[in-house]
């Protein structure tokens, strides 16, 4: 590899032994799939048959046998963590070449296409997809402003808002634009007149069509609103990329040249929009495209109403000559688990015998054969009187497994919804069991964020002097570091004198309280007042940062044994805050608290980001996120009716029937989607599955009776072993006490070292990060790695706006070959600056400053401005990774221009908006200089030289 100076052949030879050994282990059909390098291939096979393994092996094979470069291969996985797992799998097979293979999700791939081609996608660089709250707010105002009939009940105008959100998401995922929706609705409407229908059916259908027509209006207005804001939503990203690929062949060609092989894992769940992108990428080769997909219709969980066989049918229609391979050998589970699971899924009628290959062979569902042929207990079912007992049982069982020597990471607890995790987590903490939980937690419901929100609320209430009760709570949080006895004394005083706690503390001259540390208490309370004052002056992100620092909360979090978890939650909240501020520059504390209130009211969560650390801990996850994974022992918790099976799906705005091209979803039986989810859960287990449920669910002082899940009923008795829970129920009373104890300090689950290593795995070293590190390693850790919440400083916002104006200036010259008017350039700057979050005063000052410097720059360089080679070129992101040994590096170069096209030499240019510096200072030759500027230029040269896709040499650097 050029980066580390080792020739590629040597590396390949070193790893070809590992590859050969793994290859020899494959069975005949797996080998066939790996060996078929050319043309379209579809592997359709059940869980644990090695589909993902085959996909990885095939990448290795392509690299071994052809002269394809790793960056010419695109492997698409379903989630970020699946991408990571795939890269790690590949690293063990082919070594460091694996770094250069493009392994990514559809979303990251498309996001990268958007970022790298600003001329086709008119979003500002900082534009992020709409948050859930923003989406809600946009739709709310649309519905409120329109005279809808069918989807706007008079008494509850927002009744359908969530259905609209879901419908628009589904439409975009299935690639249905407003125009095509109109056609679909018209088709359905026309059909009503020709079909023979009962009066009720006709009425129902007509009503649906009315709703759909109004939905179409909402969809149109929603898209308009997004365009007006220069924003897009999460679903748009993929849709836009396929649109642009279709419209602009020259853009598509760039990617077609770069990508010679496309491989897709979990193909059953790729939706129409994603499929369109994949197909366009390989479309140049028509029917002979090098596209390799692996999937299992029975594990389809995410596609629109579980359109399970849609993809396989469409694939065969698109590539009639495709090789279809099915695998039958299972390498994961015992035969008993496989038999039980097979028996269950055979009840799904829609999938059975439906995929037919060109030879007329039906590709469907033979029972899988376990590699180990082990029988034994298939599925243990345990019933309990109430859910706390069920939870304790799980904790006890997990604990026993671990004591018997099972690695915690070989155990998983699966549940149906994110909300199910809290009680189980609580028990695991009290049982001292290490666990990790996949993202998805609503940070607004976590203690550390609630503490911060209480603090915000106290500050806000100072205004109306209603802070008392909450002030007491906040003062008692550990990070305030105030003596609890002092707080008690002060509150007693307040109560006896019938005045506010705040007043007692802030003015103790009048009250002699003999406190231990009155200064600390007073200082804290004075800070509250100061923060209230600061709210008027600062932008909200700045305020957030200030309060986080000055309250002692940040310090507390950094010192806590679970600092990583806390920090991750603070970051997740701060990300939301930045989004809010980007949408409303004038965001103030009151608005923020109101937004949080609205989110709670409408059940909109701020989802915690996945920390992606793999530690030896028990896995807690929803069944959906367990897809593709495997463990020795699997628990399926809360297996009751209405949760697993017979879930009440709210489908108040049914979408037109022609939405899917291959299947009509109404053919399926109602519980098929849910049954697949249960099937996926069962087949995650290698050795044992334990399904638990409780007859009574207790929440607060209410209790509800539950039936067990229909899937337990559907599993033939011979595959079940009933756990006799009588004895456990008796002993559970003493254990319940343990569950009710006050929480002790949580065990650190994630070791800081492991966390940092995890962060480093994804880390791209930029010149700024390097300079920060050299300045102070601890600062580097906080700012570059851990990313402590920090508001963007106004000088940085100013820099961004100047960059943007210059970028557009040179883009203009490249496009039209003339220098644009000065006013135009200044206009671009103003527009860009107004998108930045800053206070009114700051904005005014920065506007003036920018107008001045741009004008001077323009006058001075007007005659020298010439065509550039690249503007804003990103190195080391997206498709091309750059490594210096094993350190991934990257950066953005503002401008690159030719020096000598014959010698292929170029100059790199970086814009600086700070104070001008002397040459000696830049070179690091003065006493005060850190040499950071020069280092930055050298870094750029390194990037350009190491990038395999960049064929030019940097001979000069300019600021
Ligand atoms: P799922 O449908 O659940 O995603 P899958 O078909 O992708 O399953 P893999 O995860 O690739 O299955 O493989 C399941 C397990 O079997 C893995 O642990 C894998 O390493 C192992 N495996 C696959 N093929 C072989 C083989 N030929 N010999 C030994 N082990 C194998
Ligand atoms: Mg798999």
């Amino acid at each position: 590899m050029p980066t580390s100076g080792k020739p590629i052949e040597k590396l390949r030879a070193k790893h070809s032994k590992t590859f050969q050994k793994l290859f020899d282990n494959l069975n005949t059909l797996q080998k066939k799939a790996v060996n078929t390098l050319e043309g379209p291939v579809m592997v359709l096979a059940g869980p644990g048959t090695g589909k993902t393994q085959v996909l990885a092996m095939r990448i290795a094979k392509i690299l071994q046998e052809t002269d394809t470069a790793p960056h010419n291969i695109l492997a698409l996985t379903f989630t970020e963590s699946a991408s990571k797992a795939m890269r790690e799998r590949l690293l063990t097979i082919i070594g460091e070449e694996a770094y250069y293979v493009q392994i990514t999700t559809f979303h990251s791939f498309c996001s990268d296409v958007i970022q790298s081609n600003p001329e086709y996608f008119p979003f500002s660089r900082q534009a992020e997809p709409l948050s859930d709250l923003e989406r809600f707010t946009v739709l709310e105002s649309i519905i409120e402003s329109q005279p809808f009939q069918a989807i706007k009940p008079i008494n509850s105008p927002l009744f359908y808002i969530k259905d609209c959100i879901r419908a628009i998401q589904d439409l975009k995922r299935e690639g249905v634009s407003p125009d095509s929706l109109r056609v679909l609705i018209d088709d359905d409407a026309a059909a009503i007149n020709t079909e023979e229908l009962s009066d009720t059916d006709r009425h129902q259908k007509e009503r649906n069509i009315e709703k759909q027509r109004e939905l179409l209006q909402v969809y149109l207005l929603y898209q308009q609103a997004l365009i007006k804001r220069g924003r897009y939503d999460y679903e748009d990203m993929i849709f836009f990329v396929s649109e642009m690929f279709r419209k602009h062949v020259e853009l598509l060609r760039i990617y077609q040249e770069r990508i010679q092989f496309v491989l897709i894992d979990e193909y059953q769940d790729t939706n129409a929009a994603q499929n369109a992108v994949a197909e366009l990428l390989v479309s140049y080769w028509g029917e002979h495209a090098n596209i390799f997909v692996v999937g299992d219709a029975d594990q389809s969980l995410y596609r629109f109403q579980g359109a399970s066989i849609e993809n396989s049918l469409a694939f065969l229609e698109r590539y009639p000559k495709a090789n279809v391979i099915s695998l039958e050998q299972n390498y994961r589970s015992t035969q008993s688990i496989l038999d039980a699971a097979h028996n269950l899924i055979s009840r799904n009628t829609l999938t059975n015998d439906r995929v037919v290959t060109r030879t007329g062979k039906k590709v469907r569902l033979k029972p899988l054969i376990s590699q180990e042929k082990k029988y034994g207990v298939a599925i243990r079912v345990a019933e309990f009187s109430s859910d706390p007992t069920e939870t304790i049982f799980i904790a006890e069982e997990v604990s026993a497994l671990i004591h018997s020597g099972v690695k915690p990471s070989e155990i998983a607890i699966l549940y149906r919804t994110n909300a199910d995790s809290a009680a189980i987590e609580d028990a695991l903490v009290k049982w001292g069991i290490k666990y990790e939980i996949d993202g998805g937690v609503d940070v607004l419901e976590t203690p550390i964020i609630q503490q911060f929100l209480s603090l915000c609320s106290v500050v806000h209430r100072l205004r109306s002097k209603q802070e008392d009760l909450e002030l007491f709570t906040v003062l008692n949080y550990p990070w305030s570091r105030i003596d609890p006895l002092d707080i008690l004394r002060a509150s007693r005083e307040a109560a006896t004198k019938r005045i506010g706690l705040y007043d007692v503390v802030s003015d103790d001259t009048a009250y002699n309280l003999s406190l231990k540390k009155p200064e600390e208490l007073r200082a804290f309370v004075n800070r509250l007042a100061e923060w209230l004052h600061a709210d008027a002056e600062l932008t909200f992100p700045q305020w957030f940062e200030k309060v986080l620092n000055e309250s002692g909360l940040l310090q507390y979090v950094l010192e806590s044994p679970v600092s990583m978890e806390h920090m991750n939650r603070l970051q997740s909240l701060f990300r939301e805050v930045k989004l809010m501020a980007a949408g409303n520059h004038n965001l103030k504390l009151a608005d923020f608290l109101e937004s949080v209130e609205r989110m709670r009211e409408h059940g909109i969560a701020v989802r915690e980001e996945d920390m992606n650390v793999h530690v030896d801990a028990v896995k807690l996850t929803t069944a959906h996120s367990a897809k593709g994974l495997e463990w020795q022992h699997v628990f399926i918790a809360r297996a009751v009716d209405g949760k697993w099976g017979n879930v009440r799906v709210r489908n108040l705005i049914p979408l037109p029937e022609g939405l899917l091209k291959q299947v009509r979803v109404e053919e399926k039986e109602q519980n098929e989607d849910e049954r697949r989810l249960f099937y996926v859960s069962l087949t995650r287990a290698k050795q044992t599955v334990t399904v638990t449920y409780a007859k009574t669910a207790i929440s607060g002082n209410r209790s509800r009776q539950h039936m067990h899940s229909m899937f337990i009923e559907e599993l033939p008795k011979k595959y079940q072993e009933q756990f006799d829970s009588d004895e456990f129920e008796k002993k559970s009373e003493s254990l319940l006490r343990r569950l009710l104890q006050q929480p002790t300090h949580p065990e650190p689950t994630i070791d800081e070292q492991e966390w940092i290593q995890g962060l480093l795995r994804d880390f791209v070293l930029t010149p700024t990060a390097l300079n920060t590190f050299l300045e102070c390693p601890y600062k580097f850790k906080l700012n570059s790695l851990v990313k402590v919440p920090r508001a963007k400083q106004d000088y940085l916002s100013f820099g961004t706006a100047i960059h943007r104006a210059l970028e557009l200036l040179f883009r203009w010259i490249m496009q039209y070959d003339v220098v644009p008017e000065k006013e135009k350039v200044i206009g671009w700057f103003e527009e860009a600056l107004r998108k930045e979050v800053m206070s009114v005063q700051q904005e005014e000052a920065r506007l003036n400053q920018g107008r001045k410097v741009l004008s001077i720059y323009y006058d001075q360089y007007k005659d020298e401005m010439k065509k550039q080679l690249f503007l804003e070129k990103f190195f080391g992101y997206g498709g091309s990774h750059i490594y210096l040994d094993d350190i991934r590096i990257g950066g953005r170069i503002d401008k690159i221009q030719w020096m000598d096209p014959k010698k292929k030499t170029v100059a790199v240019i970086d814009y600086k908006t700070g104070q001008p510096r002397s040459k000696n200072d830049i070179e690091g030759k003065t006493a005060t200089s850190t040499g950071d500027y020069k280092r930055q230029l050298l870094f750029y040269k390194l990037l350009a030289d190491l990038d395999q896709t960049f064929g030019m040499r940097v001979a000069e650097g300019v600021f």
Side-chain angles (χ1 to χ4, degrees):
M1 199 93 317
T3 56
S4 40
K6 290 174 227 157
I8 211 157
E9 291 70 27
K10 240 189 188 163
L11 275 168
R12 286 196 176 161
K14 189 173 130 213
H15 285 280
S16 74
K17 266 203 200 122
T18 331
F19 172 77
Q20 199 54 46
K21 219 173 96 202
L22 285 165
F23 184 80
D24 291 342
N25 277 341
L26 297 179
N27 64 44
T28 322
L29 287 168
Q30 288 181 322
K31 278 184 185 147
K32 185 176 166 208
V34 172
N35 282 334
T36 322
L37 295 188
E38 301 282 319
V41 182
M42 174 163 67
V43 178
L44 288 181
T49 50
K51 296 184 295 299
T52 306
Q53 179 72 4
V54 160
L55 195 144
M57 289 294 284
R58 190 166 180 276
I59 297 176
K61 183 88 177 175
I62 295 169
L63 293 173
Q64 296 268 331
E65 306 240 310
T66 70
D67 54 8
T68 310
H71 63 258
N72 296 138
I73 300 174
L74 174 67
L76 294 160
T77 63
F78 201 72
T79 56
E80 296 292 342
S81 59
S83 292
K84 247 174 231 160
M86 173 71 72
R87 196 179 300 285
E88 267 151 36
R89 223 187 257 233
L90 206 55
L91 270 167
T92 63
I93 310 176
I94 59 167
E96 57 187 279
E97 249 190 298
Y99 285 127
Y100 297 88
V101 178
Q102 291 194 58
I103 305 175
T104 174
T105 61
F106 277 100
H107 261 107
S108 317
F109 176 77
C110 290
S111 152
D112 184 61
V113 173
I114 293 175
Q115 298 278 317
S116 320
N117 299 282
E119 55 274 42
Y120 295 95
F121 301 93
F123 307 113
S124 82
R125 281 233 190 288
Q126 295 102 317
E128 281 202 50
L130 239 56
S131 75
D132 289 348
L133 177 65
E134 288 177 293
R135 190 194 323 245
F136 187 91
T137 317
V138 172
L139 280 163
E140 183 180 39
S141 67
I142 292 174
I143 295 179
E144 276 173 353
S145 66
Q146 297 295 314
F148 293 128
Q149 300 283 324
I151 58 164
K152 192 175 171 184
I154 297 173
N155 294 330
S156 172
L158 292 181
F159 184 76
Y160 285 96
I161 187 165
K162 288 209 163 161
D163 305 278
C164 289
I165 293 176
R166 185 151 348 113
I168 292 175
Q169 281 179 314
D170 277 336
L171 288 166
K172 287 184 177 177
R173 287 180 189 138
E174 293 307 327
V176 181
S177 64
D179 282 344
S180 19
L181 177 61
R182 182 175 294 120
V183 176
L184 289 174
I185 300 174
D186 287 345
D187 286 353
D188 276 10
I192 297 185
N193 298 324
T194 55
E195 281 171 35
E196 264 190 44
L197 293 169
S198 69
D199 280 353
T200 8
D201 280 356
R202 180 178 305 276
H203 180 73
Q204 183 62 43
K205 288 209 170 186
E206 279 167 356
R207 175 119 184 93
N208 284 347
I209 286 178
E210 266 174 59
K211 285 185 188 167
Q212 287 165 5
R213 291 209 193 279
E214 292 188 357
L215 172 69
L216 173 61
Q217 281 310 309
V218 177
Y219 189 4
L220 280 166
L221 291 169
Y222 175 68
Q223 288 310 95
Q224 280 167 16
L226 294 197
I227 292 171
K228 216 172 109 198
R229 292 166 186 232
R231 301 284 300 278
Y232 51 85
D233 67 17
Y234 194 68
E235 284 73 29
D236 276 337
M237 298 169 76
I238 292 171
F239 197 52
F240 286 171
V241 168
S242 65
E243 294 267 286
M244 285 301 151
F245 276 173
R246 254 190 220 114
K247 274 195 207 138
H248 302 279
V249 184
E250 72 285 3
L251 176 68
L252 178 60
R253 289 281 181 264
I254 299 175
Y255 287 88
Q256 285 181 333
E257 263 167 43
R258 194 178 300 164
I259 296 161
Q260 286 154 23
F261 290 87
V262 173
L263 302 97
I264 309 178
D265 197 7
E266 307 276 0
Y267 185 60
Q268 72 280 357
D269 278 321
T270 51
N271 55 42
Q274 295 169 330
N275 265 322
V277 171
E279 274 182 12
L280 283 161
L281 284 174
V282 295
S283 60
Y284 186 79
W285 303 100
E287 280 185 18
H288 305 286
N290 286 327
I291 180 164
F292 179 88
V293 302
V294 306
D296 176 8
D298 291 322
Q299 296 186 61
S300 156
L301 304 181
Y302 287 89
R303 187 120 193 227
F304 172 65
Q305 301 203 352
S308 46
I309 55 174
E310 174 86 5
N311 282 347
S312 21
L313 294 174
F315 192 85
L316 289 174
E317 190 177 279
R318 178 91 178 77
Y319 309 107
K321 299 210 175 87
N323 243 306
V324 180
I325 297 170
S326 58
L327 310 169
E328 281 147 30
Q329 180 83 257
N330 172 294
Y331 293 89
R332 179 182 294 151
S333 316
T334 65
Q335 189 66 49
S336 323
I337 294 176
L338 293 177
D339 289 348
H342 176 76
N343 197 290
L344 182 92
I345 200 68
S346 304
R347 290 174 182 257
N348 273 12
T349 50
L350 184 70
T351 1
N352 277 329
D353 295 330
R354 285 285 299 277
V355 180
V356 180
T357 68
R358 73 197 136 100
T359 51
K361 203 174 93 184
K362 284 180 181 165
V363 189
R364 248 301 298 179
L365 256 206
K366 280 188 227 137
L368 295 173
I369 302 159
S370 164
Q371 161 79 350
E372 297 198 21
K373 306 222 167 28
K374 257 202 314 203
Y375 285 82
V377 180
I379 287 144
R380 199 156 58 126
V381 179
E383 176 191 272
F384 299 94
S385 55
S386 67
D387 54 353
T389 319
E390 180 193 355
T391 311
I392 294 172
F393 172 76
I394 296 174
E396 283 279 294
E397 288 286 296
V398 168
S399 178
L401 281 171
I402 295 173
H403 281 125
S404 75
V406 175
K407 278 174 61 146
S409 57
E410 278 297 346
I411 304 171
I413 304 168
L414 313 187
Y415 37 83
R416 184 65 186 76
T417 61
N418 279 314
D420 294 331
S421 74
I424 302 173
E425 263 187 277
D426 180 46
L428 294 185
V429 169
K430 286 167 186 163
W431 261 249
I433 298 168
K434 274 191 172 195
Y435 67 88
E436 66 172 347
I437 188 160
D438 255 351
V441 171
D442 181 3
V443 299
L444 295 180
E445 300 304 322
T446 60
I448 198 76
I449 297 302
Q450 289 189 337
Q451 292 182 12
F452 181 71
L453 292 175
S454 315
L455 175 62
C456 292
S457 153
V458 166
V459 175
H460 176 60
R461 280 157 177 243
L462 277 183
R463 246 181 222 126
S464 51
K465 303 218 164 224
Q466 292 177 326
E467 75 294 338
D468 256 34
L469 201 63
E470 230 171 351
L471 176 59
F472 180 76
T473 316
V474 166
L475 290 174
N476 274 297
Y477 286 139
W479 38 266
S480 79
R481 295 169 213 250
I482 296 171
D483 190 288
L485 211 61
D486 281 357
I487 306 172
L488 271 180
R489 286 214 178 98
S491 337
R492 273 180 61 110
E493 178 74 10
T496 19
K497 297 257 164 65
R498 292 174 184 272
I499 49 170
L501 176 57
Y502 177 83
D503 295 327
V504 170
V505 182
S506 55
D507 176 23
D508 71 349
T509 41
Y511 311 99
N512 195 356
L513 292 176
S514 60
L515 301 181
K516 266 195 260 168
K517 289 179 180 164
E519 331 71 50
E520 287 190 6
L521 189 52
R522 183 130 32 96
F524 191 86
V525 175
N526 286 345
R527 248 174 274 144
L528 293 174
E530 192 204 319
W531 294 331
L532 179 63
H533 190 66
D535 179 40
E537 317 235 295
L538 300 178
T539 67
F540 191 68
Q542 289 167 343
W543 188 88
F544 187 105
E545 182 190 335
K546 180 183 169 74
V547 174
L548 196 59
N549 274 299
E550 296 178 1
S551 60
L553 182 59
L554 183 66
Q555 195 59 26
Y556 168 80
V557 161
L558 287 171
E559 287 164 5
S560 144
V562 288
S563 66
M564 284 72 78
E565 283 92 334
H566 284 343
M567 191 51 90
N568 195 40
R569 289 173 178 173
L570 280 173
Q571 279 163 5
S572 304
L573 179 66
F574 190 60
R575 193 171 311 116
E576 188 75 30
V577 162
K578 282 193 287 187
L579 274 176
M580 288 179 188
N584 168 14
H585 292 195
N586 214 3
L587 186 80
K588 292 288 161 200
L589 177 59
D591 310 304
F592 168 69
L593 288 169
E594 200 188 299
S595 294
V596 169
E597 203 39 57
R598 277 163 59 80
M599 295 176 84
R600 288 233 173 90
E601 187 186 335
H602 296 289
I604 301 171
V606 177
R607 295 268 170 237
E608 180 173 5
E609 288 267 301
D610 197 344
M611 293 185 56
N612 262 320
V613 247
H614 298 291
V615 287
D616 190 14
V618 174
K619 182 77 160 189
L620 258 66
T621 168
T622 60
H624 277 94
S625 307
K627 204 170 78 148
L629 304 177
E630 56 186 25
W631 298 272
Q632 294 290 347
H633 304 280
V634 168
F635 291 81
I636 301 179
R638 310 279 189 259
V640 292
D641 192 51
K643 221 183 237 309
W644 292 87
N646 288 326
V647 176
R648 263 174 294 281
V649 237
R650 198 182 137 113
N651 189 15
L652 297 181
I653 310 183
L655 293 175
E657 288 172 9
L659 191 66
L660 295 174
K661 304 275 174 323
Q662 309 287 334
V663 273
R664 299 189 80 81
V665 271
E666 68 270 31
E667 282 177 38
K668 81 180 160 94
E669 176 254 319
Q670 185 216 335
N671 275 303
E672 293 201 0
D673 297 346
E674 291 291 312
R675 192 175 289 110
R676 278 197 301 275
L677 189 59
F678 198 72
Y679 176 73
V680 168
S681 306
L682 291 177
T683 55
R684 298 308 94 201
K686 299 180 186 173
Q687 281 186 40
T688 72
V689 182
T690 307
V691 182
T692 63
Y693 66 91
K695 287 185 288 186
T696 323
I698 300 170
S699 69
N701 45 16
R702 277 187 307 166
S703 69
R704 272 176 64 176
Q705 300 303 309
H706 280 300
M707 285 272 298
H708 57 259
S709 156
M710 62 188 287
F711 304 129
I712 296 178
E713 208 53 46
E714 287 179 6
L715 280 177
K717 287 282 169 284
K718 68 170 172 179
Y719 298 123
Q720 292 190 31
E721 185 199 72
Q722 285 294 331
F723 173 78
D724 185 358
S725 53
D726 287 352
E727 213 164 295
F728 188 82
E729 293 273 353
K730 275 182 219 141
K731 124 174 153 189
S732 73
E733 285 194 14
S734 61
L735 292 170
L736 266 174
R737 218 159 293 140
R738 187 162 165 194
L739 193 64
L740 297 176
Q741 271 165 12
Q742 272 305 307
T744 46
H745 219 47
E747 284 268 315
T749 2
I750 299 170
D751 175 60
E752 168 153 342
Q753 189 107 17
E754 283 166 310
W755 188 49
I756 298 285
Q757 261 160 16
L759 292 175
L760 277 172
R761 243 190 312 240
D762 285 339
F763 185 70
V764 184
L765 184 72
T766 60
T768 320
L770 177 62
N771 280 334
T772 314
F773 179 82
L774 293 171
E775 186 195 332
C776 167
Y778 187 65
K779 187 170 164 194
F780 167 80
K781 180 180 148 191
L782 290 190
N783 292 353
S784 307
L785 266 186
V786 177
K787 298 215 172 81
V788 172
R790 274 193 315 159
K792 195 168 175 181
Q793 302 280 337
D794 69 323
Y795 74 88
L796 286 176
S797 301
F798 174 70
T800 307
I802 294 278
H803 272 85
R804 178 72 182 158
L806 294 181
E807 183 198 340
L808 291 172
L809 161 69
F810 287 104
R811 216 172 272 296
W812 185 280
I813 300 175
M814 278 163 89
Q815 200 168 352
Y816 302 109
D817 216 5
V818 287
V819 179
E821 302 280 301
K822 195 199 294 185
E823 279 60 48
K824 207 168 189 76
V825 182
I826 290 180
W828 286 326
F829 160 75
E830 292 173 347
E831 194 186 334
L833 192 82
R834 294 215 165 91
K835 289 204 178 110
E836 297 291 320
V837 179
M838 50 176 81
S839 69
V840 183
Q841 299 90 322
Q842 282 169 339
E843 186 175 294
E844 205 42 50
R846 292 296 183 180
L847 276 173
N848 286 333
Q849 182 191 5
R851 288 182 193 120
K852 213 157 81 199
V853 299
L854 273 176
S855 172
I856 297 171
Y857 176 90
Y858 186 93
D859 294 339
Q860 181 150 356
Y861 293 107
K862 184 170 179 301
D863 302 327
E864 298 169 33
M865 290 176 191
K866 53 183 167 186
K867 277 202 167 187
Q868 312 301 324
L869 245 178
F870 293 101
L871 288 173
E872 288 257 296
K873 178 155 173 63
F874 282 85
F875 282 91
Y877 295 94
S880 66
H881 289 188
I882 303 175
Y883 286 87
L884 183 66
D885 286 329
D886 60 348
I887 305 168
R888 189 169 157 201
I889 57 177
R892 184 193 68 186
I893 300 186
D894 288 335
K895 204 165 78 171
I896 299 178
Q897 64 194 25
W898 280 120
M899 289 187 63
D900 184 347
K902 272 191 228 113
K903 290 193 204 144
K904 290 211 153 193
T905 50
V906 294
V908 299
I909 290 96
D910 192 77
Y911 306 137
K912 291 284 178 220
T913 48
Q915 290 296 321
R917 296 201 197 172
S918 73
K919 186 158 191 300
N920 278 342
D921 189 34
I922 289 174
E923 300 248 348
K925 287 181 187 153
T926 60
T928 50
S929 155
T930 55
D932 54 345
Y933 273 24
K934 175 156 187 201
R935 195 173 304 113
Q936 187 183 353
L937 281 186
L938 289 175
F939 199 108
Y940 287 155
K941 179 170 166 53
L942 200 60
L943 279 174
D945 290 352
L946 291 178
D947 187 346
Q948 301 172 11
T949 57
F950 187 75
M952 284 149 269
R953 208 166 53 77
V954 176
E956 195 181 292
V958 184
F959 285 112

